[in-house]
Amino acid sequence: MRAWQVHENGEPREVMRLHEVERPTPGDGQVLLKVRAANINFPDALLCRGQYQIRPALPFTPGVEICGETEDGRRVIANPALPHGGFAEYAIADAAAVLPAPEALDDAEAAALHIGYQTGWFGLHRRAGLEAGETLLVHAAAGGVGSAAVQLGKAAGATVIGVVGGGDKAAVARELGCDVVIDRRAEDVVAAVKEATGGRGADVIYDPVGGEAYAQSAKVVAFEGRIVVVGFASGSIPSPALNHALVKNYSILGLHWGLYNTRNPKLIQHCHERLTELAARGVVKPLVSERLPLKDAAAAVQRVADGVTTGRVAVIPGLDEGGAA
């Protein structure tokens, strides 16, 4: 089978190589999955660079989120068990963590209704307790993680402010349903948020960026607001001033979604059921901006790492070079 492998750490375009390899053999409690679609996530780039919290032994195949097919023909979504990741024709996953793919979504959309949407659901509901009528601010609102939070915020009845970088991404954020869109490249984010909220600020802030985005969040969070920290796509990890949180009465909430796989996996199943219901009602629908053949995976991972994509980019091994499934 064909599989992308990383033999040394570095930038994805430089270290990912497409090889013919033996089909992986599942171990105890694992299943073999034929990959129908693999979505690219920022952690895939961090894995290539050796900067992720998990560092699989070299060589490994990246790809942490797939829609696959079991040997008995069931369509499922899963997080592959590294080193046998999703940028391949076949992957391995832990059987206990495999979830049924929502019937309302195609393969790429189904794969995308997992990490980003689970992270959004846990962050907004379990951690921040977002309520209808509140104001939600989402950084990187046109990206894979941010676009999920925008849709989930709207589904919860919140007013959603999306912060993006550039006119094209602003258009995407509007299409996703943001009530207010702020282009950080053309506007003063802090001033724009205060103007949009009448000076009150945002009740919940969803931050997968870190760095300057977090500094802006601390300036515009409302009284008794909640800042949900879900990642550091900027590459800069901020050091919050806790005296500032004390003076303004706001909370800083961390979210590492992967911990729920070991600490409370029943919550992941519960979340998946809620997300499946929302998808069936058409309330949420993952934004898949590109569907690419397997041969284009390395270049696509690099573009996601560089922050130039919108929504999710899907790698589909069954897609031929002419573009037909």
Side-chain angles (χ1 to χ4, degrees):
M1 72 166 193
R2 294 177 300 156
W4 285 91
Q5 290 191 328
V6 174
H7 289 267
E8 60 183 355
N9 293 128
E11 288 301 299
R13 71 162 69 91
E14 297 171 358
V15 300
M16 287 178 63
R17 297 287 182 268
L18 188 58
H19 296 296
E20 284 286 342
V21 299
E22 293 294 323
R23 187 179 298 182
T25 301
D28 291 340
Q30 295 184 322
V31 291
L32 177 70
L33 298 175
K34 181 180 180 180
V35 179
R36 297 173 65 110
N39 278 314
I40 299 173
N41 289 263
F42 191 70
D44 293 315
L46 296 179
L47 283 165
C48 290
R49 294 168 176 165
Q51 297 174 347
Y52 197 51
Q53 54 257 43
I54 299 170
R55 297 191 66 175
L58 300 169
F60 69 89
T61 297
V64 297
E65 178 179 58
I66 68 169
C67 174
E69 184 177 327
T70 63
E71 293 183 274
D72 59 0
R74 291 178 294 120
R75 199 171 69 108
V76 299
I77 60 175
N79 301 125
L82 300 179
H84 303 294
F87 301 146
E89 292 177 317
Y90 287 86
I92 295 292
D94 294 330
V98 168
L99 298 167
E103 295 181 1
L105 304 177
D106 67 22
D107 293 340
E109 293 166 343
L113 195 82
H114 197 33
I115 295 175
Y117 280 84
Q118 287 255 349
T119 299
W121 191 90
F122 274 87
L124 297 181
H125 293 292
R126 185 166 180 84
R127 301 294 285 138
L130 179 68
E131 296 181 1
E134 289 192 311
T135 297
L136 166 67
L137 171 64
V138 179
H139 289 287
V145 173
S147 61
V150 168
Q151 291 186 355
L152 290 170
K154 292 299 295 180
T159 297
V160 180
I161 301 173
V163 178
V164 299
D168 291 345
K169 292 187 177 183
V172 170
R174 292 188 186 95
E175 292 174 4
L176 286 166
C178 286
D179 299 282
V180 177
V181 177
I182 300 170
D183 182 354
R184 59 179 172 80
R185 295 180 181 174
E187 303 174 71
D188 181 319
V189 172
V190 173
V193 173
K194 288 184 177 180
E195 180 181 358
T197 60
R200 183 177 179 277
D203 299 292
V204 176
I205 300 178
Y206 192 79
D207 182 13
V209 179
E212 179 61 22
Y214 180 85
Q216 294 164 347
S217 298
K219 293 178 181 179
V220 300
V221 63
F223 173 74
E224 293 194 331
R226 293 84 78 197
I227 301 174
V228 186
V229 178
V230 297
F232 311 103
S234 67
S236 175
I237 300 176
S239 298
L242 297 186
N243 62 317
H244 190 258
L246 181 152
V247 171
K248 286 191 67 176
N249 274 38
Y250 65 85
S251 302
I252 304 166
L253 306 169
L255 174 64
H256 178 192
W257 171 75
L259 284 178
Y260 290 97
N261 280 300
T262 54
R263 299 295 182 90
N264 198 340
K266 289 184 178 179
L267 283 177
I268 290 180
Q269 178 64 46
H270 170 75
C271 175
H272 180 65
E273 292 169 357
R274 302 288 81 74
L275 293 174
T276 299
E277 291 172 1
L278 291 173
R281 288 162 44 199
V283 177
V284 302
K285 185 179 179 67
L287 170 62
V288 180
S289 59
E290 300 176 65
R291 291 169 168 80
L292 304 171
L294 185 62
K295 66 181 181 63
D296 292 339
V301 174
Q302 188 66 55
R303 288 191 293 112
V304 170
D306 293 340
V308 298
T309 60
T310 57
R312 287 293 186 207
V313 178
V315 174
I316 303 177
L319 199 65
D320 65 36
E321 294 187 8

